[in-house]
Amino acid sequence: MSQTALITLILSGLGLVFGLIGGGVTVNAREFRRRAHRASGLVVRLRASRSDDGTVYYPTIRFVTLYGQQVEAESSYGSNPPPARPGQEVPVLYDPARPTRIRIDSVAGSGTLLGGIFLAVGVVLFTVGAGIALAQTF
């Protein structure tokens, strides 16, 4: 196998993997948004998760459900900088069947941005791989 063919295969394969992950995250975010209820929440604390790549902050939010149940839950999506500081109000999406499953109602907080980034990177990598393959055939 030539070096060009190997590069084409790797780029296209990575593009396909990133695209599938991005598509999955985006569909998951859309489905969650469709079934979720909305509430106004208060950020009560931030949990810092440190790694070699930096620090990611996961907010814990307190809110009251549509049925009057007070809930305190940590968002599964973290970011740096944090989406809000303790004491700030944020719009919340929560799963009515499991109210502790929450996301901040924003592009970044709901997973839509992450899915879009993965999808875009996947499309670019796949297109470059396919472009190299086409260029080799002519």
Side-chain angles (χ1 to χ4, degrees):
M1 180 180 284
S2 73
Q3 187 176 12
T4 305
L6 184 61
I7 290 171
T8 300
L9 186 63
I10 290 171
L11 286 175
S12 296
L14 284 173
L16 188 61
V17 168
F18 270 78
L20 289 172
I21 291 170
V25 170
T26 302
V27 167
N28 181 286
R30 181 177 295 145
E31 287 298 312
F32 184 84
R33 180 177 283 286
R34 186 184 56 76
R35 74 175 175 275
H37 288 183
R38 288 170 172 71
S40 181
L42 181 71
V43 177
V44 293
R45 68 182 157 277
L46 295 172
R47 179 178 61 85
S49 177
R50 291 176 177 76
S51 71
D52 293 339
D53 295 329
T55 304
V56 176
Y57 297 95
Y58 295 87
T60 297
I61 302 167
R62 183 181 305 134
F63 64 97
V64 177
T65 69
L66 187 64
Y67 303 108
Q69 176 187 6
Q70 184 169 319
V71 177
E72 192 170 295
E74 182 178 273
S75 174
S76 56
Y77 288 95
S79 65
N80 188 354
R85 301 279 178 203
Q88 284 184 302
E89 284 194 22
V90 293
V92 177
L93 294 171
Y94 68 91
D95 184 341
R98 290 179 38 211
T100 56
R101 229 180 126 216
I102 65 166
R103 297 180 184 178
I104 293 178
D105 190 7
S106 69
V107 173
S110 67
T112 305
L113 180 63
L114 180 64
I117 290 170
F118 268 82
L119 194 56
V121 168
V123 167
V124 168
L125 288 173
F126 189 82
T127 303
V128 169
I132 291 171
L134 283 174
Q136 292 299 312
T137 59
F138 292 109

